[in-house]
Amino acid sequence: MRRAFLALGSNLGDRRALLAAAVASLDDVVAISPVYETDPVGPPGQGSYLNIAVELRTERSARELLKVAFELESEAGRRRRVRWGPRTLDVDVLWVEGETVDEPDLSVPHPRMHERGFVMVPLGDLAPELAPGWTVDSADGVYCAGELGGA
């Protein structure tokens, strides 16, 4: 078993319920960050996101976790129309203990996670060693929105 972290976000529909359903679908969750409301990145006119990080203890590889991420997004009705556009659910594989992947469709650790407060603040709640210095106070547009509940 090894540690792995996923980032989940939603800015369409019942955002909190979509996040809770995705987390409930995972059988190897050991911790869930608080929920953060964040400013959207991408095309204008989007609503704000709810974001969380999830820690897993898993035997799955990064590739297997990517498959799980796509399945969760599909179950939530995600349609990939516009890059960085609004979405019911976005799931990213952030980090998998002992594994590095650099392929066209998957990079682990996630190559842009250190640029994104909406990823690093929730990750820092679960694994401060992976997100040194990241707090709500250090990340523009990231606001604590409580616990997920229902997961």
Side-chain angles (χ1 to χ4, degrees), residues 44-64:
Q46 296 185 58
S48 61
Y49 279 80
L50 290 184
N51 294 96
I52 60 171
V54 176
E55 180 177 355
L56 309 173
R57 292 269 191 257
T58 187
E59 294 181 6
R60 293 180 176 123
S61 68
R63 175 71 49 200
E64 291 167 326

Side-chain angles (χ1 to χ4, degrees), residues 118-134:
F118 63 86
V119 170
M120 297 305 288
V121 172
L123 179 61
D125 288 327
L126 303 178
E129 72 279 10
L130 297 177
W134 282 94

Side-chain angles (χ1 to χ4, degrees), residues 35-136:
V35 177
Y36 291 91
E37 187 149 10
T38 64
D39 295 336
V41 173
Q46 296 185 58
S48 61
Y49 279 80
L50 290 184
N51 294 96
I52 60 171
V54 176
E55 180 177 355
L56 309 173
R57 292 269 191 257
T58 187
E59 294 181 6
R60 293 180 176 123
S61 68
R63 175 71 49 200
E64 291 167 326
L65 289 171
L66 179 65
K67 181 179 178 195
V68 169
F70 285 148
E71 289 169 358
L72 292 172
E73 290 174 349
S74 179
E75 289 170 12
R78 177 165 180 189
R79 305 289 176 259
R80 294 177 184 271
R81 295 187 176 114
V82 176
R83 182 175 177 151
W84 295 332
R87 60 203 77 159
T88 54
L89 186 66
D90 183 46
V91 182
D92 289 320
V93 180
L94 299 179
W95 184 87
V96 178
E97 183 176 22
E99 191 167 356
T100 301
V101 179
D102 187 11
E103 298 174 5
D105 65 333
L106 178 63
S107 294
V108 176
H110 192 288
R112 291 174 304 283
M113 70 182 191
H114 289 94
E115 302 167 7
R116 299 173 172 172
F118 63 86
V119 170
M120 297 305 288
V121 172
L123 179 61
D125 288 327
L126 303 178
E129 72 279 10
L130 297 177
W134 282 94
T135 66
V136 172

